[in-house]
Amino acid sequence: MSWEKEAEEIHLRRKLAKQQGGEEGVKRQHEKGRLTIRERIEGLADQGSFREMGEGAGVPEFNEDGSLKDFQPANYVLGFAKVKGRRIVVGGEDFTLKGGSPNPAGLRKSVYAEDMALKYKVPLVRLHEGGGGSVAGSGGSKPARPVGDPVFARSRFLSIAEVVGMVPVATAALGPVAGMPAARLVASHFSVMAENAQVIIAGPHVVKRAMNEDVTKEELGGPQVHAKSGVIDNVAKTEEDALAEIARFLSYMPDNVWQLPPYEEPEDTPERMEEKLLSIVPKERRKPFQMRAVLKAVLDKGSFFEMTKKYGPSLITGLARLNGHSVGVIANDCMFYAGAMTADAAQKLRRFVDMCNTFNLPVLSFVDEPGFMIGSASEKAGTIRYGTSAIAAVMQSRVPWASVIVHKVFGVAGAAHFAPDSFVLSWPSAETGALPVEGGVAVAFARQLAEAEDPEALRLEIEQKLAASQSPFPRAEGFSVHELIDPRETRPRLCEWLDWVHPTRDLDLGPYKVTMRP
């Protein structure tokens, strides 16, 4: 006697589970221009590295003689995989079964995804397409059975909250995502959305019934909405591009909060000095310039990965490498509101700084800050509250910071670019003060200007005198910055600083030896 019959049924169940929603379900998915969840995982993971967890979870159907007739799998696929050789936990809804709305086994597997990442201390990737639960009850006259979890059950949100404080979480919206999957999508450090996806709290029919608003899924939560709302970080043209962005995001991140970010041998040289940096900031004070060109000239070539570009666009955030080390990057973009901090930019900054602080990423800040955005719209948006909250996050940062004053630092908002122990470099184009010259003159000399025979000439004269007083040389003379530098020296100086602060060497602790990085 042997267990061959039972073993054969195990293999049959696995085979049937791989059929997902059947040929018709898979065909419908492809006709919509979308991959299945298994194809998505295959596209993300290193070839042959995916090891599924819970293949046998689902609902069997038997023949009259007790033999297995069919098997409907859990509509959440979950398991271990590797991305560029590094271990992750990956999971996602199977839209070919019930449109991704969880069946009982699928719900249990989805809840377990966070637990797996926490237990094994590896990054978590969730690939979303589906809705939440369904309306309770049978719709008949018989009263519905009691629903809901028992009072002693652990909240499903507990592990979702815990995991973002322990390991990197990256998510993707690859179709319609609503309800609980939408909440899980945004409970992440990086989220990306395919162009044919939607992220919504509730669908058009519910919105029509409850709000008498007639809109499509795309109008409610398409990429054009959420790229600017801050709900997602990036928009990808295709699903394949979205998966590539997740893989790239993870390449900068450690496996968990107890590790340092990964180091990659640089192809760039730390001594590189770009001549264009000497003239990239115009001598005409009010003329804009391209901050991304500054970043390109300073960071390792081709390493900058921008995040959340269209939300709070006056602030640039992203990950990069400097001499092979992972770093977080923040910078003002003077092409939007002169780089002023809006309410959206402040919330974007706080979230990004918190992520860098969580995962031990040194921060580089390239400063061109004119202050908080002003005007009635800014006041209504609560800019001062969100901006002060962002400053508080910066003040609480525990990771190394280097701040390069490229151009302006004015007002309270300027504090958001300098952590308590920031290493501060200044360019000769730097201007600092309580207010920009133009605003200061309008306030402080209002009476003189009103009484002058030629107010415009007087205004220009005063502005020129005050602009001269905001020169970076007196600050350097008073040791208010660590160094006033030739802009071309920026990369070498930052690489040198990062070598000082980064724990790259073995620590000799008597009989013990601790290696901080392999």
Side-chain angles (χ1 to χ4, degrees), residues 441 449 455-465:
V441 169
L449 291 171
E456 184 64 17
L458 178 60
R459 182 184 63 79
L460 289 173
E461 179 184 347
I462 296 172
E463 285 182 358
Q464 289 172 358
K465 289 180 180 179

Side-chain angles (χ1 to χ4, degrees), residues 122-170:
V122 295
L124 172 63
V125 175
R126 293 188 296 247
L127 306 175
H128 291 293
E129 182 184 17
S134 57
V135 178
S138 62
S141 58
K142 188 176 180 179
R145 295 164 60 187
V147 295
D149 295 326
V151 293
F152 53 80
R154 186 182 69 166
S155 170
R156 296 172 188 170
F157 276 97
L158 180 59
S159 60
I160 293 175
E162 289 177 337
V163 77
V164 293
M166 300 288 186
V167 303
V169 181

Side-chain angles (χ1 to χ4, degrees), residues 131-265:
S134 57
V135 178
S138 62
S141 58
K142 188 176 180 179
R145 295 164 60 187
V147 295
D149 295 326
V151 293
F152 53 80
R154 186 182 69 166
S155 170
R156 296 172 188 170
F157 276 97
L158 180 59
S159 60
I160 293 175
E162 289 177 337
V163 77
V164 293
M166 300 288 186
V167 303
V169 181
T171 59
L174 302 172
V177 181
M180 186 65 169
R184 298 177 95 121
L185 173 78
V186 300
S188 61
H189 303 103
F190 174 69
S191 58
V192 59
M193 185 178 190
E195 284 189 349
N196 63 347
Q198 306 87 36
V199 180
I200 50 181
I201 297 171
H205 295 299
V206 176
V207 171
K208 175 70 173 177
R209 180 71 178 86
M211 307 298 295
N212 197 31
E213 185 180 357
D214 195 3
V215 288
T216 65
K217 285 189 294 186
E218 288 71 23
E219 291 169 334
L220 275 173
Q224 73 284 356
V225 174
H226 287 317
K228 296 180 179 180
S229 73
V231 164
I232 53 98
D233 293 302
N234 290 7
V235 175
K237 190 171 184 62
T238 66
E239 290 191 32
E240 291 84 357
D241 291 339
L243 299 175
E245 289 211 7
I246 286 179
R248 188 173 182 193
F249 168 79
L250 293 175
S251 72
Y252 298 93
M253 306 297 287
D255 287 347
N256 53 58
V257 297
W258 297 279
Q259 294 185 4
L260 292 172
Y263 171 80
E264 287 190 3
E265 193 66 33

